Amino acid sequence: MATTSEPGTSARSAGAGSTAPVRRPSWGSLRRARRNRSQLATLLLATDAVCVLAVVLLLGHGAPAVVVFSASALVVHAFAGLYRPRMDLSILDDLPLLAGAGVASVGVASIADGALDIGDVEGSTLLAALAQTVLVLCARAVVYVLRIRYRKAGRIAMRTLVVGCGGLGAQLVEHLGSGEQGLLPVGFIDDDPRLSAGERPLPVLGGIADLERLVTEQSADIVVIAYSNVPEMVVVDVLRSCQGLPVEIFTVPRFWQVTNTHRFVQSVRGVPLVQLRRPAFRAVTWPLKRVMDVVASTLGLVVALPVLVVCAALVRHEVGPGPLFRQERVGLDGRTFPLLKLRTMRPDASSDVRWNAQESVGPVGGWLRRLSLDELPQLWNVLRGEMSLVGPRPERPHFVEQFTLDYDDYLWRHRVPVGVTGWAQVHGLRGDTSISERARFDNHYVENWSLWLDVKILLRTAGQVLSAAGR
């Protein structure tokens, strides 16, 4: 059973068909948040573009290789993380990345020369790489100096809430108060503050259960999680409930004193801050998931139509009329929908509250299940937008309600659309397997979603189906 205190259990006790475990932000709030956080990235991109254009105008006349090199430079800079939001602004931190990006861009020009014979790559692009690196370094140095001055003057200040009113929290507030990072701490959040009222540099605005409300009330842009007395699982639940808000969340890692820092870890006066990944539906590539679903499900239905007809005929012969059946399942944000499947059991053996009815499956049904052919009608669910090709497998409302009460993380798997296949399934968690493990794998998928992860799961699913067919 769930053991967390009220802030955590309130979300889980909602059960099937409840309101969304993650509140979806309005597009307006997301646009404002993205605009605030993308100012530096846009400025750096514009600065680099001007430098690239200057190199092309100065050295690109009659040298196509320079144009190819310069055009690829901005793309390489983006992949190198040179436009990511940062608190620390240091041209020395950028120098190795810019040098490496220059080398990579020269390589792109060399490949283009081999394919298109675009000219003297060695001489022209090496000179362009040197000139462009120097120009970009100088331009960025100016941008950083001006940006830091604006921060210290308070013209750039993102409102920040600090979770944890203890020694570390007070230290962070003191460091952030200098303004160098562009953050403006406005208050603490803690259920049991360690610091007395006289020791607190800022007021305690509320407890951890109030975080979502306070983010909205305080118009917060940033939340920093320092150490507090609140149980870890309660904090995790509250943070997940806030992922739909237009706010960035940073956390001080455990054993931060011996944590290695790198370019993807922010640092505030020696204290590392790890930025929590944005929820999947806020990723730039998230709309492409739906595009992939529509294209693949449409093609799949067309190609699989003859197979479906044959399978439906076999099912009708074994279990009687009605080879296709519908069953209510729980999908995105706890909403229910009718899932389609080929019937693999006799009609009187199917139950919405029976967990394992494998003994009622006939030879044809067993064959369909082994090859996952009974799942083919779900491509129609995918096309309708009720499911995705990849996501946590949908479950019946009765069991969602039961598992939500019994397992801490179960409800949070409904933050993304359910899928025909999923991360848990490709790890062997099918049928009568551990629900706790399934929830862990499903939430890992939600937290780490990417288009490539979807492709990887689909490839592994195809491999497992082919392996089953060969047995």
Side-chain angles (χ1 to χ4, degrees), residues 218-277:
Q218 297 293 327
S219 300
D221 303 294
I222 303 290
V223 173
V224 177
I225 309 296
Y227 298 148
S228 71
N229 291 325
V230 181
E232 186 172 293
M233 279 308 303
V234 175
V235 178
V236 169
D237 279 349
V238 172
L239 291 182
R240 282 174 171 169
S241 70
C242 291
Q243 285 185 335
L245 298 176
V247 65
E248 297 297 334
I249 301 175
F250 294 84
T251 180
V252 179
R254 295 289 182 183
F255 308 110
W256 61 267
Q257 298 90 337
V258 291
T259 298
N260 293 328
T261 58
H262 50 80
R263 61 192 178 97
F264 292 112
V265 174
Q266 309 281 7
S267 178
V268 177
R269 302 285 292 182
V271 179
L273 296 179
V274 178
Q275 184 174 1
L276 299 188
R277 196 170 184 267

Short mmCIF file of all heavy atoms in Angstrom, two decimals, residues 218-277:
data_model
loop_
_atom_site.label_atom_id
_atom_site.label_comp_id
_atom_site.label_asym_id
_atom_site.label_seq_id
_atom_site.Cartn_x
_atom_site.Cartn_y
_atom_site.Cartn_z
N GLN A 218 3.08 33.29 -7.16
CA GLN A 218 4.31 34.07 -7.16
C GLN A 218 4.87 34.32 -8.56
O GLN A 218 5.92 34.93 -8.70
CB GLN A 218 5.38 33.36 -6.31
CG GLN A 218 5.02 33.22 -4.85
CD GLN A 218 4.96 34.57 -4.14
OE1 GLN A 218 5.70 35.48 -4.45
NE2 GLN A 218 4.06 34.69 -3.18
N SER A 219 4.17 33.82 -9.58
CA SER A 219 4.66 33.94 -10.98
C SER A 219 6.09 33.45 -11.08
O SER A 219 6.95 34.09 -11.71
CB SER A 219 4.55 35.39 -11.45
OG SER A 219 3.23 35.85 -11.41
N ALA A 220 6.36 32.32 -10.45
CA ALA A 220 7.73 31.79 -10.40
C ALA A 220 8.16 31.22 -11.74
O ALA A 220 7.36 30.61 -12.45
CB ALA A 220 7.84 30.73 -9.31
N ASP A 221 9.42 31.45 -12.08
CA ASP A 221 10.01 30.89 -13.28
C ASP A 221 10.87 29.67 -12.97
O ASP A 221 11.07 28.81 -13.81
CB ASP A 221 10.88 31.93 -13.99
CG ASP A 221 10.12 33.19 -14.34
OD1 ASP A 221 9.22 33.09 -15.19
OD2 ASP A 221 10.41 34.25 -13.76
N ILE A 222 11.42 29.63 -11.74
CA ILE A 222 12.38 28.61 -11.35
C ILE A 222 12.00 28.06 -9.97
O ILE A 222 11.56 28.81 -9.10
CB ILE A 222 13.82 29.19 -11.28
CG1 ILE A 222 14.23 29.80 -12.62
CG2 ILE A 222 14.81 28.12 -10.86
CD1 ILE A 222 14.44 28.81 -13.73
N VAL A 223 12.16 26.77 -9.79
CA VAL A 223 12.06 26.13 -8.47
C VAL A 223 13.36 25.39 -8.22
O VAL A 223 13.82 24.61 -9.06
CB VAL A 223 10.87 25.15 -8.39
CG1 VAL A 223 10.90 24.38 -7.07
CG2 VAL A 223 9.56 25.88 -8.54
N VAL A 224 13.99 25.66 -7.07
CA VAL A 224 15.22 24.99 -6.69
C VAL A 224 14.94 24.09 -5.49
O VAL A 224 14.43 24.55 -4.47
CB VAL A 224 16.33 26.01 -6.33
CG1 VAL A 224 17.59 25.29 -5.86
CG2 VAL A 224 16.66 26.89 -7.54
N ILE A 225 15.24 22.81 -5.64
CA ILE A 225 15.00 21.84 -4.57
C ILE A 225 16.28 21.64 -3.79
O ILE A 225 17.24 21.03 -4.27
CB ILE A 225 14.51 20.49 -5.13
CG1 ILE A 225 13.34 20.69 -6.10
CG2 ILE A 225 14.13 19.55 -4.00
CD1 ILE A 225 12.11 21.26 -5.48
N ALA A 226 16.33 22.19 -2.57
CA ALA A 226 17.43 21.92 -1.64
C ALA A 226 16.96 20.85 -0.66
O ALA A 226 15.88 20.28 -0.81
CB ALA A 226 17.85 23.20 -0.93
N TYR A 227 17.72 20.57 0.35
CA TYR A 227 17.34 19.52 1.30
C TYR A 227 16.26 20.04 2.25
O TYR A 227 16.30 21.18 2.70
CB TYR A 227 18.54 19.05 2.11
CG TYR A 227 19.63 18.44 1.29
CD1 TYR A 227 20.97 18.56 1.66
CD2 TYR A 227 19.34 17.75 0.12
CE1 TYR A 227 21.98 17.98 0.90
CE2 TYR A 227 20.34 17.18 -0.65
CZ TYR A 227 21.66 17.30 -0.26
OH TYR A 227 22.65 16.74 -1.01
N SER A 228 15.30 19.18 2.55
CA SER A 228 14.26 19.51 3.52
C SER A 228 13.92 18.26 4.29
O SER A 228 14.42 17.17 4.01
CB SER A 228 13.01 20.06 2.81
OG SER A 228 12.35 19.02 2.11
N ASN A 229 13.04 18.41 5.28
CA ASN A 229 12.64 17.26 6.10
C ASN A 229 11.47 16.49 5.50
O ASN A 229 11.01 15.52 6.08
CB ASN A 229 12.25 17.74 7.51
CG ASN A 229 13.45 18.23 8.30
OD1 ASN A 229 14.55 17.70 8.16
ND2 ASN A 229 13.25 19.27 9.11
N VAL A 230 10.98 16.92 4.36
CA VAL A 230 9.84 16.26 3.72
C VAL A 230 10.31 14.94 3.10
O VAL A 230 11.36 14.89 2.46
CB VAL A 230 9.23 17.16 2.63
CG1 VAL A 230 8.03 16.48 1.98
CG2 VAL A 230 8.83 18.51 3.22
N PRO A 231 9.57 13.83 3.29
CA PRO A 231 9.94 12.55 2.68
C PRO A 231 10.13 12.67 1.19
O PRO A 231 9.39 13.38 0.50
CB PRO A 231 8.77 11.62 3.04
CG PRO A 231 8.19 12.22 4.27
CD PRO A 231 8.37 13.70 4.13
N GLU A 232 11.12 11.96 0.67
CA GLU A 232 11.51 12.09 -0.73
C GLU A 232 10.36 11.76 -1.68
O GLU A 232 10.15 12.45 -2.68
CB GLU A 232 12.70 11.17 -1.01
CG GLU A 232 13.29 11.33 -2.39
CD GLU A 232 14.58 10.55 -2.55
OE1 GLU A 232 15.58 10.91 -1.90
OE2 GLU A 232 14.58 9.58 -3.34
N MET A 233 9.61 10.69 -1.40
CA MET A 233 8.53 10.30 -2.30
C MET A 233 7.42 11.35 -2.35
O MET A 233 6.76 11.52 -3.37
CB MET A 233 7.95 8.94 -1.90
CG MET A 233 8.76 7.75 -2.38
SD MET A 233 9.14 7.81 -4.16
CE MET A 233 7.49 7.90 -4.87
N VAL A 234 7.22 12.07 -1.25
CA VAL A 234 6.22 13.13 -1.26
C VAL A 234 6.68 14.25 -2.20
O VAL A 234 5.89 14.78 -2.98
CB VAL A 234 6.00 13.68 0.17
CG1 VAL A 234 5.05 14.88 0.15
CG2 VAL A 234 5.44 12.59 1.07
N VAL A 235 7.96 14.59 -2.12
CA VAL A 235 8.50 15.63 -3.00
C VAL A 235 8.40 15.20 -4.46
O VAL A 235 8.03 15.99 -5.34
CB VAL A 235 9.97 15.95 -2.63
CG1 VAL A 235 10.54 16.99 -3.59
CG2 VAL A 235 10.07 16.44 -1.20
N VAL A 236 8.71 13.93 -4.73
CA VAL A 236 8.62 13.42 -6.10
C VAL A 236 7.20 13.56 -6.64
O VAL A 236 6.98 14.01 -7.77
CB VAL A 236 9.09 11.95 -6.16
CG1 VAL A 236 8.76 11.33 -7.52
CG2 VAL A 236 10.60 11.86 -5.91
N ASP A 237 6.21 13.18 -5.84
CA ASP A 237 4.81 13.28 -6.27
C ASP A 237 4.44 14.73 -6.57
O ASP A 237 3.77 15.03 -7.57
CB ASP A 237 3.89 12.71 -5.21
CG ASP A 237 3.78 11.20 -5.27
OD1 ASP A 237 4.27 10.62 -6.25
OD2 ASP A 237 3.22 10.60 -4.33
N VAL A 238 4.84 15.64 -5.70
CA VAL A 238 4.48 17.05 -5.88
C VAL A 238 5.18 17.61 -7.12
O VAL A 238 4.57 18.35 -7.90
CB VAL A 238 4.85 17.87 -4.63
CG1 VAL A 238 4.65 19.36 -4.88
CG2 VAL A 238 4.01 17.42 -3.44
N LEU A 239 6.44 17.25 -7.33
CA LEU A 239 7.16 17.72 -8.52
C LEU A 239 6.50 17.21 -9.79
O LEU A 239 6.39 17.95 -10.78
CB LEU A 239 8.62 17.29 -8.46
CG LEU A 239 9.48 17.94 -7.38
CD1 LEU A 239 10.92 17.46 -7.48
CD2 LEU A 239 9.44 19.45 -7.50
N ARG A 240 6.07 15.97 -9.78
CA ARG A 240 5.39 15.43 -10.97
C ARG A 240 4.08 16.16 -11.21
O ARG A 240 3.70 16.39 -12.36
CB ARG A 240 5.15 13.94 -10.78
CG ARG A 240 6.39 13.08 -11.00
CD ARG A 240 6.15 11.64 -10.66
NE ARG A 240 7.27 10.80 -11.08
CZ ARG A 240 7.43 9.53 -10.73
NH1 ARG A 240 6.53 8.94 -9.96
NH2 ARG A 240 8.47 8.84 -11.16
N SER A 241 3.39 16.55 -10.16
CA SER A 241 2.13 17.27 -10.34
C SER A 241 2.37 18.67 -10.87
O SER A 241 1.46 19.28 -11.44
CB SER A 241 1.37 17.34 -9.01
OG SER A 241 2.01 18.21 -8.10
N CYS A 242 3.59 19.19 -10.73
CA CYS A 242 3.92 20.54 -11.20
C CYS A 242 4.52 20.54 -12.60
O CYS A 242 4.82 21.62 -13.14
CB CYS A 242 4.91 21.22 -10.24
SG CYS A 242 4.23 21.63 -8.62
N GLN A 243 4.72 19.38 -13.19
CA GLN A 243 5.40 19.34 -14.48
C GLN A 243 4.60 19.97 -15.60
O GLN A 243 5.16 20.29 -16.64
CB GLN A 243 5.75 17.89 -14.84
CG GLN A 243 6.93 17.36 -14.04
CD GLN A 243 7.35 15.97 -14.49
OE1 GLN A 243 6.56 15.22 -15.04
NE2 GLN A 243 8.61 15.65 -14.26
N GLY A 244 3.31 20.17 -15.39
CA GLY A 244 2.53 20.84 -16.41
C GLY A 244 2.61 22.35 -16.33
O GLY A 244 2.09 23.04 -17.20
N LEU A 245 3.27 22.88 -15.29
CA LEU A 245 3.39 24.32 -15.13
C LEU A 245 4.58 24.84 -15.94
O LEU A 245 5.58 24.14 -16.11
CB LEU A 245 3.58 24.68 -13.65
CG LEU A 245 2.44 24.30 -12.71
CD1 LEU A 245 2.82 24.62 -11.27
CD2 LEU A 245 1.16 25.02 -13.09
N PRO A 246 4.49 26.07 -16.42
CA PRO A 246 5.60 26.65 -17.18
C PRO A 246 6.72 27.12 -16.26
O PRO A 246 6.99 28.31 -16.11
CB PRO A 246 4.94 27.82 -17.92
CG PRO A 246 3.83 28.25 -17.02
CD PRO A 246 3.32 26.98 -16.38
N VAL A 247 7.38 26.17 -15.61
CA VAL A 247 8.44 26.47 -14.66
C VAL A 247 9.56 25.45 -14.84
O VAL A 247 9.30 24.30 -15.18
CB VAL A 247 7.88 26.44 -13.21
CG1 VAL A 247 7.43 25.04 -12.83
CG2 VAL A 247 8.90 26.96 -12.21
N GLU A 248 10.80 25.91 -14.62
CA GLU A 248 11.94 24.99 -14.68
C GLU A 248 12.30 24.58 -13.25
O GLU A 248 12.28 25.41 -12.33
CB GLU A 248 13.15 25.65 -15.35
CG GLU A 248 12.91 26.03 -16.80
CD GLU A 248 12.64 24.82 -17.68
OE1 GLU A 248 13.09 23.72 -17.33
OE2 GLU A 248 11.97 24.99 -18.71
N ILE A 249 12.64 23.31 -13.07
CA ILE A 249 12.93 22.78 -11.73
C ILE A 249 14.37 22.29 -11.69
O ILE A 249 14.81 21.52 -12.54
CB ILE A 249 11.96 21.63 -11.39
CG1 ILE A 249 10.51 22.14 -11.42
CG2 ILE A 249 12.29 21.04 -10.01
CD1 ILE A 249 9.47 21.06 -11.20
N PHE A 250 15.11 22.78 -10.70
CA PHE A 250 16.48 22.36 -10.46
C PHE A 250 16.56 21.71 -9.09
O PHE A 250 15.82 22.08 -8.17
CB PHE A 250 17.44 23.56 -10.50
CG PHE A 250 17.56 24.22 -11.84
CD1 PHE A 250 16.64 25.17 -12.24
CD2 PHE A 250 18.59 23.89 -12.70
CE1 PHE A 250 16.73 25.79 -13.48
CE2 PHE A 250 18.70 24.49 -13.95
CZ PHE A 250 17.78 25.45 -14.32
N THR A 251 17.45 20.75 -8.95
CA THR A 251 17.61 20.08 -7.66
C THR A 251 19.08 19.96 -7.31
O THR A 251 19.93 19.75 -8.19
CB THR A 251 16.95 18.68 -7.67
OG1 THR A 251 17.12 18.06 -6.40
CG2 THR A 251 17.55 17.80 -8.75
N VAL A 252 19.38 20.12 -6.03
CA VAL A 252 20.74 19.88 -5.55
C VAL A 252 20.90 18.38 -5.35
O VAL A 252 20.15 17.77 -4.60
CB VAL A 252 20.98 20.62 -4.21
CG1 VAL A 252 22.40 20.34 -3.71
CG2 VAL A 252 20.75 22.11 -4.37
N PRO A 253 21.86 17.75 -6.05
CA PRO A 253 21.99 16.29 -5.94
C PRO A 253 22.48 15.86 -4.57
O PRO A 253 23.14 16.63 -3.85
CB PRO A 253 23.03 15.95 -7.03
CG PRO A 253 23.82 17.21 -7.21
CD PRO A 253 22.86 18.33 -6.96
N ARG A 254 22.12 14.64 -4.20
CA ARG A 254 22.66 14.06 -2.98
C ARG A 254 24.18 13.98 -3.08
O ARG A 254 24.73 13.74 -4.16
CB ARG A 254 22.09 12.66 -2.76
CG ARG A 254 20.58 12.64 -2.51
CD ARG A 254 20.24 13.22 -1.15
NE ARG A 254 18.80 13.16 -0.88
CZ ARG A 254 18.24 13.65 0.21
NH1 ARG A 254 18.99 14.24 1.13
NH2 ARG A 254 16.93 13.58 0.39
N PHE A 255 24.86 14.17 -1.96
CA PHE A 255 26.32 14.17 -1.92
C PHE A 255 26.89 15.17 -2.94
O PHE A 255 27.82 14.89 -3.67
CB PHE A 255 26.88 12.76 -2.20
CG PHE A 255 26.28 11.69 -1.34
CD1 PHE A 255 25.44 10.73 -1.88
CD2 PHE A 255 26.54 11.64 0.02
CE1 PHE A 255 24.87 9.74 -1.08
CE2 PHE A 255 25.97 10.67 0.82
CZ PHE A 255 25.14 9.71 0.27
N TRP A 256 26.28 16.36 -2.95
CA TRP A 256 26.67 17.36 -3.95
C TRP A 256 28.12 17.82 -3.76
O TRP A 256 28.75 18.27 -4.72
CB TRP A 256 25.73 18.56 -3.88
CG TRP A 256 25.71 19.30 -2.57
CD1 TRP A 256 24.88 19.09 -1.52
CD2 TRP A 256 26.57 20.37 -2.18
NE1 TRP A 256 25.15 19.96 -0.49
CE2 TRP A 256 26.19 20.76 -0.87
CE3 TRP A 256 27.62 21.05 -2.81
CZ2 TRP A 256 26.83 21.80 -0.19
CZ3 TRP A 256 28.26 22.09 -2.13
CH2 TRP A 256 27.86 22.46 -0.83
N GLN A 257 28.64 17.66 -2.55
CA GLN A 257 30.02 18.09 -2.32
C GLN A 257 31.02 17.27 -3.13
O GLN A 257 32.13 17.75 -3.41
CB GLN A 257 30.37 17.98 -0.83
CG GLN A 257 29.54 18.87 0.09
CD GLN A 257 28.29 18.17 0.59
OE1 GLN A 257 27.80 17.21 -0.02
NE2 GLN A 257 27.75 18.64 1.71
N VAL A 258 30.65 16.04 -3.51
CA VAL A 258 31.56 15.19 -4.29
C VAL A 258 30.98 14.88 -5.66
O VAL A 258 31.41 13.93 -6.32
CB VAL A 258 31.87 13.87 -3.53
CG1 VAL A 258 32.71 14.14 -2.29
CG2 VAL A 258 30.58 13.14 -3.16
N THR A 259 30.00 15.67 -6.10
CA THR A 259 29.39 15.46 -7.40
C THR A 259 30.22 16.17 -8.48
O THR A 259 30.55 17.35 -8.34
CB THR A 259 27.95 16.01 -7.43
OG1 THR A 259 27.17 15.29 -6.47
CG2 THR A 259 27.33 15.85 -8.81
N ASN A 260 30.55 15.43 -9.53
CA ASN A 260 31.30 16.04 -10.64
C ASN A 260 30.37 16.96 -11.42
O ASN A 260 29.21 16.65 -11.68
CB ASN A 260 31.84 14.96 -11.58
CG ASN A 260 32.91 14.11 -10.92
OD1 ASN A 260 33.66 14.59 -10.08
ND2 ASN A 260 32.99 12.85 -11.29
N THR A 261 30.90 18.11 -11.80
CA THR A 261 30.12 19.04 -12.61
C THR A 261 30.59 18.97 -14.06
O THR A 261 31.74 18.66 -14.34
CB THR A 261 30.28 20.48 -12.10
OG1 THR A 261 31.67 20.84 -12.10
CG2 THR A 261 29.74 20.61 -10.69
N HIS A 262 29.67 19.22 -14.97
CA HIS A 262 30.00 19.27 -16.39
C HIS A 262 29.10 20.31 -17.03
O HIS A 262 28.33 21.00 -16.34
CB HIS A 262 29.82 17.90 -17.05
CG HIS A 262 28.52 17.24 -16.76
ND1 HIS A 262 27.35 17.57 -17.41
CD2 HIS A 262 28.17 16.29 -15.84
CE1 HIS A 262 26.35 16.85 -16.94
NE2 HIS A 262 26.81 16.06 -16.00
N ARG A 263 29.18 20.44 -18.34
CA ARG A 263 28.53 21.57 -18.99
C ARG A 263 27.01 21.49 -18.95
O ARG A 263 26.34 22.48 -19.24
CB ARG A 263 29.01 21.70 -20.44
CG ARG A 263 28.71 20.51 -21.32
CD ARG A 263 29.50 20.63 -22.62
NE ARG A 263 29.30 19.50 -23.51
CZ ARG A 263 28.44 19.49 -24.51
NH1 ARG A 263 27.70 20.56 -24.73
NH2 ARG A 263 28.31 18.43 -25.28
N PHE A 264 26.44 20.34 -18.61
CA PHE A 264 24.99 20.23 -18.54
C PHE A 264 24.49 20.32 -17.09
O PHE A 264 23.32 20.09 -16.83
CB PHE A 264 24.52 18.93 -19.18
CG PHE A 264 24.74 18.89 -20.67
CD1 PHE A 264 25.66 18.03 -21.22
CD2 PHE A 264 24.05 19.74 -21.50
CE1 PHE A 264 25.87 18.00 -22.60
CE2 PHE A 264 24.25 19.73 -22.87
CZ PHE A 264 25.17 18.85 -23.42
N VAL A 265 25.39 20.63 -16.16
CA VAL A 265 25.01 20.84 -14.77
C VAL A 265 25.29 22.30 -14.42
O VAL A 265 26.40 22.79 -14.58
CB VAL A 265 25.81 19.91 -13.83
CG1 VAL A 265 25.51 20.25 -12.37
CG2 VAL A 265 25.47 18.45 -14.10
N GLN A 266 24.25 23.00 -13.96
CA GLN A 266 24.43 24.39 -13.55
C GLN A 266 25.18 24.42 -12.21
O GLN A 266 25.19 23.44 -11.46
CB GLN A 266 23.07 25.07 -13.40
CG GLN A 266 22.15 24.91 -14.59
CD GLN A 266 22.50 25.85 -15.73
OE1 GLN A 266 23.51 26.55 -15.70
NE2 GLN A 266 21.66 25.88 -16.74
N SER A 267 25.77 25.57 -11.90
CA SER A 267 26.52 25.70 -10.66
C SER A 267 26.29 27.09 -10.08
O SER A 267 26.36 28.09 -10.81
CB SER A 267 28.01 25.46 -10.90
OG SER A 267 28.74 25.62 -9.70
N VAL A 268 25.98 27.14 -8.80
CA VAL A 268 25.80 28.42 -8.10
C VAL A 268 26.84 28.49 -6.99
O VAL A 268 26.70 27.84 -5.95
CB VAL A 268 24.37 28.54 -7.52
CG1 VAL A 268 24.24 29.84 -6.73
CG2 VAL A 268 23.33 28.48 -8.62
N ARG A 269 27.91 29.20 -7.27
CA ARG A 269 29.00 29.38 -6.29
C ARG A 269 29.46 28.04 -5.72
O ARG A 269 29.60 27.85 -4.51
CB ARG A 269 28.54 30.29 -5.16
CG ARG A 269 28.09 31.66 -5.61
CD ARG A 269 29.24 32.56 -5.99
NE ARG A 269 30.06 32.92 -4.82
CZ ARG A 269 31.11 33.74 -4.88
NH1 ARG A 269 31.48 34.23 -6.05
NH2 ARG A 269 31.78 34.03 -3.80
N GLY A 270 29.67 27.07 -6.61
CA GLY A 270 30.19 25.78 -6.19
C GLY A 270 29.12 24.76 -5.81
O GLY A 270 29.46 23.61 -5.53
N VAL A 271 27.85 25.15 -5.80
CA VAL A 271 26.77 24.21 -5.49
C VAL A 271 26.15 23.76 -6.82
O VAL A 271 25.57 24.57 -7.54
CB VAL A 271 25.70 24.85 -4.60
CG1 VAL A 271 24.58 23.85 -4.33
CG2 VAL A 271 26.31 25.34 -3.30
N PRO A 272 26.28 22.47 -7.17
CA PRO A 272 25.73 22.01 -8.46
C PRO A 272 24.21 21.93 -8.42
O PRO A 272 23.62 21.56 -7.40
CB PRO A 272 26.35 20.62 -8.64
CG PRO A 272 26.64 20.15 -7.25
CD PRO A 272 26.97 21.38 -6.46
N LEU A 273 23.60 22.28 -9.53
CA LEU A 273 22.15 22.17 -9.69
C LEU A 273 21.85 21.37 -10.94
O LEU A 273 22.30 21.73 -12.03
CB LEU A 273 21.51 23.56 -9.80
CG LEU A 273 21.60 24.50 -8.59
CD1 LEU A 273 20.95 25.83 -8.90
CD2 LEU A 273 20.97 23.86 -7.37
N VAL A 274 21.11 20.30 -10.78
CA VAL A 274 20.73 19.45 -11.90
C VAL A 274 19.33 19.83 -12.34
O VAL A 274 18.38 19.80 -11.54
CB VAL A 274 20.78 17.95 -11.52
CG1 VAL A 274 20.33 17.09 -12.69
CG2 VAL A 274 22.19 17.57 -11.07
N GLN A 275 19.18 20.19 -13.60
CA GLN A 275 17.86 20.57 -14.11
C GLN A 275 17.05 19.33 -14.45
O GLN A 275 17.51 18.45 -15.18
CB GLN A 275 18.00 21.45 -15.35
CG GLN A 275 16.67 21.96 -15.87
CD GLN A 275 16.84 22.95 -17.01
OE1 GLN A 275 17.94 23.24 -17.44
NE2 GLN A 275 15.72 23.48 -17.49
N LEU A 276 15.84 19.25 -13.88
CA LEU A 276 14.97 18.14 -14.20
C LEU A 276 14.48 18.28 -15.64
O LEU A 276 14.19 19.39 -16.10
CB LEU A 276 13.77 18.10 -13.25
CG LEU A 276 14.08 17.91 -11.77
CD1 LEU A 276 12.79 17.70 -10.99
CD2 LEU A 276 15.03 16.74 -11.53
N ARG A 277 14.40 17.16 -16.31
CA ARG A 277 13.98 17.18 -17.70
C ARG A 277 12.54 17.65 -17.83
O ARG A 277 11.68 17.29 -17.02
CB ARG A 277 14.11 15.76 -18.28
CG ARG A 277 14.08 15.70 -19.79
CD ARG A 277 14.47 14.29 -20.22
NE ARG A 277 14.55 14.18 -21.67
CZ ARG A 277 13.54 13.78 -22.44
NH1 ARG A 277 12.39 13.47 -21.88
NH2 ARG A 277 13.68 13.68 -23.73
#
